[in-house]
């Protein structure tokens, strides 16, 4: 198994991730360039995995599978704010 992360470190990682997400979203809103929201979300999850010292190959595999699922299925019938 990987290195154990104590409660204080998890809290610090959580706050660091919030700042990371905020900055990535703001940067995307100001200048999306050729990036999609999927690119931004993938980057956020990849950095989360790095902060938590997760295996990057495994993280990328999960992200790829999630994106593949998202693109293959129609979710338009799902209403979250009704």
């Amino acid at each position: 198994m990987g290195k154990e992360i104590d409660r204080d470190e998890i809290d610090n990682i959580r706050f660091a991730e919030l700042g990371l997400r905020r900055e990535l979203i703001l940067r995307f809103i100001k200048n999306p360039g050729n990036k999609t929201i999927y690119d931004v979300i993938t980057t956020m999850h990849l950095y989360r995995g790095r902060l938590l010292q997760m295996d990057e190959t495994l993280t990328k595999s999960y992200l790829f599978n999630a994106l593949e699922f998202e693109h293959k299925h129609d979710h338009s019938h799902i209403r979250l704010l009704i």
Side-chain angles (χ1 to χ4, degrees), residues 8-56:
D8 287 337
E9 192 171 358
I10 288 174
D11 286 342
N12 289 336
I13 289 170
R14 187 175 51 128
F15 289 121
E17 186 194 5
L18 287 173
L20 172 79
R21 279 194 259 165
R22 178 186 179 277
E23 292 301 318
L24 288 173
I25 291 294
L26 288 175
R27 192 180 305 173
F28 176 72
I29 290 169
K30 287 180 184 175
N31 184 18
N34 61 352
K35 293 188 177 185
T36 68
I37 191 62
Y38 292 111
D39 295 331
V40 176
I41 291 168
T42 299
T43 301
M44 286 190 286
H45 288 298
L46 185 60
Y47 285 140
R48 174 189 292 160
R50 288 178 182 171
L51 286 169
L52 293 170
Q53 301 176 359
M54 295 169 58
D55 178 84
E56 192 155 326

